Amino acid sequence: MIDPHLLLSGVIFGLSMGSVFFLMTLGLSLCFGLMRVISMDQLLYYAVGAYLTYTVSMAIGNVWLGILVGVLVSALVGFVIERLVFQRTYSREITFSMIISFGLLIGGIGIIKAVWGLVPRPVPVPIEAQWNILGTEVPVYRIVVVLIAVLVYAGIWAFLNKTIIGKAIRAGIEDVGHTEGLGINVSRLFTLTFILAGALSGLAGGLHAPLIMVFPDMGLEILAFAFMVVIIGGLGSIKGTFISAFLVGQVVSIGSLVYAPLAQMAPFAIMLLILLIKPTGLYGSAMLKR
Amino acid sequence: MNVLRWWSGLLVAFALLLLLRITLPLPFNNEIVIFAIYVIGCNFLLGRVGFISFGQPAYLAVGAYGTAFYLYYFGTNPFVGILVGVIAGIVVAAIVGPLFVRLRSDYFALVNLALAVIIFFMMQKMLATYTFGDNGLELLTKMDSTPIIDITRPEGFYVLAFVSAFGVWALYKYLDDSVFGACCLAAKVNEDKLRFLGYSNFGVRLMAFIVANTTTAFAGTLYAIHQGLVSPEMSSPARVADPVVVTILGGVGTLYGPLVGSVAFVGMKDLISKYIGHWELVVGVLLIFVMLAGERGIWGSLEPLLRRWVLRQREAEKPAVADAGVKAR
């Protein structure tokens, strides 16, 4: 039997991992839902967000400001790449955008290596306090990360359901052709969604940076988990992403408590199981329109 | 005559490859040949079946580790090692195949990528007691030298690699011409019609998946013998794009694309990595550039020109023959 203190800190650890996975994969999911592209370069914005958090927090000393700069720069990079590259891929089949985005990811990692070097960099934890929950010391920062993720989920939900732009995005996810027919500028909607996705990935990187070391291949390291999350949840479904991100986070955390290599293997096994039952993931739509 | 024509393309291609052997150093040639075998599986999946696989390194590592485990722990004969590696490739492809080929092409790519990373973790951490983690398995001293052609030496190994590459290419040329190849193409273009014609969509895809990934595993066993060292680095996430890049660089779905792409890619790698330390940057930019420039690749652009040239030559010959006939009369 696992020690209850260990279990509690394991659950908190899993929740914070799940939050990072969720923020990370939300961009992937939104891009797939609306534009029908698999934007692997989200993992690049994740690394960019983390590196800027490192640089700014080293220069100014405030990690939160660093995260903010990371989010803004990731959004900007997302904007530029969408305009320069992705605009040319929307009319093509899905493999085309997948290959292009992978090229962006690999190329971007090369640039990161050239700018920041190969050495892993530490980022200070912005809140060092510990809370005492039921006799277990829990780092407050991890709880803050979870809260931010839940707030983002609520914010995205409100954005998609209450604002007119969000409603247009949802309509676009249903059927792009009809949305365009209503006189909505779909191209601008795509750009907006891509910026949002880039910002969210940057936020994931910035929040994750104090929990791990920042290193050039960090995007590739989290890649397997990010894809397992989107596959389990179903591509394009925000609710599915939310549920599967926390599921994978818990499986990674609790699994590693039981037997260390389970951290990587267990989510993979779950993914295979779910694909066996439902090839499109938990909440993925069966049909691929367009 | 027809038989000769069927073989002529292959013979010319491999004669050119031999020409490279004479002019360029041996390790470079070995690398090209193995890499070409590695890439043709990916090329077949992407060009003929319409599956994009970012997980080819997974099968490469399975083949390499099959050979490495056999040579390190059980036997000393490298040929048996190759056989074990290939069988390991078939087994793994047959296990994951039925699961994977049911998926849509986008899910297929992601799941394969996840598999590659999982195998990387598995070899690096989970099985570290057997694989020695990042240090890898050292095989060079474990292999017996073989009679007639010693494949543990680079010169002998080149003969083996060259002959097997020729065999693999003949196999894929045969597959392209066969009903099975046509079925694969149909599975890519219109699966409803394939089902209408009475073929099992699932069966065709599964077969293609196993053939392609067994070829990749075979390339992995060749890597193991060639380098004498097998480490998890082989399927590291940073390298998963290589086969896709070379497939596209050479020309998707073309028979000789992988050969041309490998020569170009390995050559560039050798030349550029002397000047730029960060090789990924070049790979990424190359990938984006080739895709946006029309995604036909080097051989994909050259082939139509070459074909037109050959046709023109034949047409130029024909009237000459006819004239000769008239004169003789």
Side-chain angles (χ1 to χ4, degrees):
Chain A
M1 192 54 216
I2 311 167
D3 177 26
H5 293 304
L6 216 56
L7 190 66
L8 184 64
S9 60
V11 169
I12 300 286
F13 179 79
L15 283 175
S16 64
M17 284 295 282
S19 311
V20 172
F21 290 156
F22 169 66
L23 293 172
M24 173 73 254
T25 50
L26 192 54
L28 268 171
S29 236
L30 275 174
C31 285
F32 180 80
L34 186 62
M35 286 94 97
R36 297 277 184 266
V37 297
I38 292 188
S39 154
M40 297 201 190
D41 48 328
Q42 297 300 330
L43 297 152
L44 176 67
Y45 311 144
Y46 161 83
V48 166
Y51 263 102
L52 280 163
T53 305
Y54 161 75
T55 305
V56 173
S57 66
M58 282 296 120
I60 301 174
N62 189 337
V63 180
W64 296 112
L65 201 65
I67 294 174
L68 185 69
V69 172
V71 170
L72 292 178
V73 173
S74 309
L76 185 71
V77 174
F79 171 68
V80 172
I81 285 182
E82 203 267 351
R83 282 280 141 158
L84 284 182
V85 181
F86 274 92
Q87 291 268 329
R88 297 158 204 260
T89 69
Y90 292 144
S91 55
R92 313 293 289 268
E93 50 188 311
I94 194 160
T95 47
F96 186 80
S97 65
M98 209 184 309
I99 296 168
I100 293 253
S101 66
F102 204 85
L104 286 170
L105 173 62
I106 295 280
I109 287 172
I111 294 176
I112 287 179
K113 280 184 179 170
V115 174
W116 279 286
L118 297 169
V119 189
R121 315 277 185 172
V123 175
V125 181
I127 308 169
E128 295 203 342
Q130 305 259 334
W131 266 352
N132 196 327
I133 303 175
L134 301 173
T136 312
E137 292 281 308
V138 175
V140 177
Y141 179 69
R142 286 190 181 272
I143 294 170
V144 171
V145 170
V146 179
L147 284 179
I148 290 174
V150 173
L151 277 179
V152 166
Y153 180 65
I156 290 286
W157 186 86
F159 172 67
L160 288 180
N161 287 286
K162 300 292 172 196
T163 66
I164 193 73
I165 299 172
K167 283 176 182 169
I169 289 179
R170 275 198 308 145
I173 290 175
E174 283 295 315
D175 191 326
V176 168
H178 284 180
T179 316
E180 203 162 16
L182 289 173
I184 293 168
N185 187 343
V186 175
S187 168
R188 197 169 293 165
L189 211 60
F190 284 2
T191 311
L192 190 76
T193 309
F194 207 89
I195 294 172
L196 185 66
L200 286 170
S201 304
L203 180 64
L207 288 176
H208 205 190
L211 299 174
I212 53 167
M213 294 281 247
V214 178
F215 60 103
D217 282 341
M218 62 189 292
L220 294 172
E221 192 95 330
I222 203 173
L223 171 141
F225 293 109
F227 287 158
M228 286 189 265
V229 167
V230 285
I231 291 167
I232 290 174
L235 272 170
S237 160
I238 290 161
K239 189 177 160 199
T241 307
F242 187 71
I243 291 171
S244 78
F246 282 98
L247 177 75
V248 170
Q250 288 305 333
V251 167
V252 167
S253 164
I254 307 282
S256 67
L257 283 182
V258 180
Y259 174 55
L262 268 184
Q264 278 104 29
M265 303 305 291
F268 191 68
I270 289 176
M271 182 189 78
L272 287 186
L273 195 71
I274 283 173
L275 285 180
L276 196 64
I277 301 162
K278 198 164 179 292
T280 50
L282 288 177
Y283 291 89
S285 55
M287 285 294 290
L288 182 67
K289 280 184 202 154
R290 262 205 320 170
Chain B
M1 188 58 205
N2 262 338
V3 179
L4 193 67
R5 183 167 288 175
W6 196 85
W7 286 100
S8 63
L10 281 175
L11 289 173
V12 169
F14 279 84
L16 287 175
L17 204 61
L18 269 184
L19 210 65
L20 274 184
R21 166 74 181 85
I22 300 166
T23 49
L24 293 168
L26 183 60
F28 184 74
N29 276 289
N30 277 332
E31 182 87 357
I32 285 175
V33 175
I34 304 175
F35 209 89
I37 299 177
Y38 176 24
V39 171
I40 196 169
C42 184
N43 191 22
F44 185 72
L45 278 181
L46 183 56
R48 292 279 155 183
V49 200
F51 275 145
I52 173 156
S53 169
F54 279 115
Q56 291 310 102
Y59 309 102
L60 187 78
V62 165
Y65 270 102
T67 307
F69 280 145
Y70 172 77
L71 287 175
Y72 201 85
Y73 293 107
F74 302 107
T76 52
N77 188 338
F79 284 115
V80 182
I82 290 178
L83 192 67
V84 171
V86 170
I87 290 172
I90 295 176
V91 169
V92 170
I95 290 172
V96 296
L99 259 174
F100 285 8
V101 296
R102 296 194 312 150
L103 306 172
R104 252 167 25 200
S105 67
D106 44 347
Y107 278 82
F108 181 85
L110 300 187
V111 169
N112 259 303
L113 191 49
L115 179 73
V117 179
I118 288 303
I119 287 195
F120 176 66
F121 282 138
M122 216 161 101
M123 294 307 175
Q124 194 188 28
K125 300 203 176 99
M126 196 171 147
L127 299 175
T129 40
Y130 305 108
T131 62
F132 303 113
D134 281 328
N135 296 330
L137 288 165
E138 183 78 48
L139 301 175
L140 220 47
T141 53
K142 301 274 180 184
M143 284 184 287
D144 275 351
S145 51
T146 52
I148 311 173
I149 301 163
D150 186 1
I151 63 167
T152 56
R153 317 256 327 142
E155 297 84 13
F157 179 81
Y158 184 75
V159 177
L160 172 77
F162 186 83
V163 170
S164 38
F166 190 79
V168 166
W169 250 262
L171 171 72
Y172 275 92
K173 193 168 161 70
Y174 171 74
L175 282 184
D176 276 358
D177 293 346
S178 66
V179 176
F180 172 67
C183 285
C184 289
L185 207 54
K188 177 188 178 186
V189 179
N190 192 336
E191 42 185 279
D192 288 339
K193 277 193 181 159
L194 180 67
R195 213 177 305 140
F196 187 73
L197 288 171
Y199 289 100
S200 154
N201 208 333
F202 176 79
V204 167
R205 283 186 173 168
L206 180 62
M207 204 54 218
F209 183 84
I210 292 177
V211 168
N213 288 331
T214 307
T215 316
T216 308
F218 178 58
T221 68
L222 289 181
Y223 259 123
I225 305 270
H226 172 51
Q227 294 180 334
L229 174 80
V230 177
S231 69
E233 178 59 29
M234 199 169 255
S235 73
S236 87
R239 293 193 58 188
V240 293
D242 287 4
V244 179
V245 173
V246 180
T247 297
I248 291 161
L249 185 67
V252 177
T254 57
L255 188 64
Y256 302 109
L259 272 180
V260 178
S262 301
V263 173
F265 185 77
V266 178
M268 255 190 310
K269 202 169 176 173
D270 264 27
L271 286 178
I272 295 175
S273 58
K274 277 176 198 155
Y275 305 107
I276 303 175
H278 309 292
W279 172 239
E280 291 99 330
L281 181 60
V282 182
V283 176
V285 171
L286 193 70
L287 192 53
I288 298 166
F289 181 75
V290 174
M291 286 305 278
L292 289 181
E295 61 172 323
R296 274 160 72 200
I298 300 172
W299 181 248
S301 320
L302 278 181
E303 199 186 12
L305 295 177
L306 204 68
R307 193 158 279 176
R308 211 176 302 152
W309 183 75
V310 169
L311 275 180
R312 205 174 295 153
Q313 289 306 96
R314 272 187 203 146
E315 266 166 27
E317 266 170 31
K318 263 179 204 161
V321 173
D323 283 353
V326 170
K327 267 176 199 165
R329 201 182 292 158

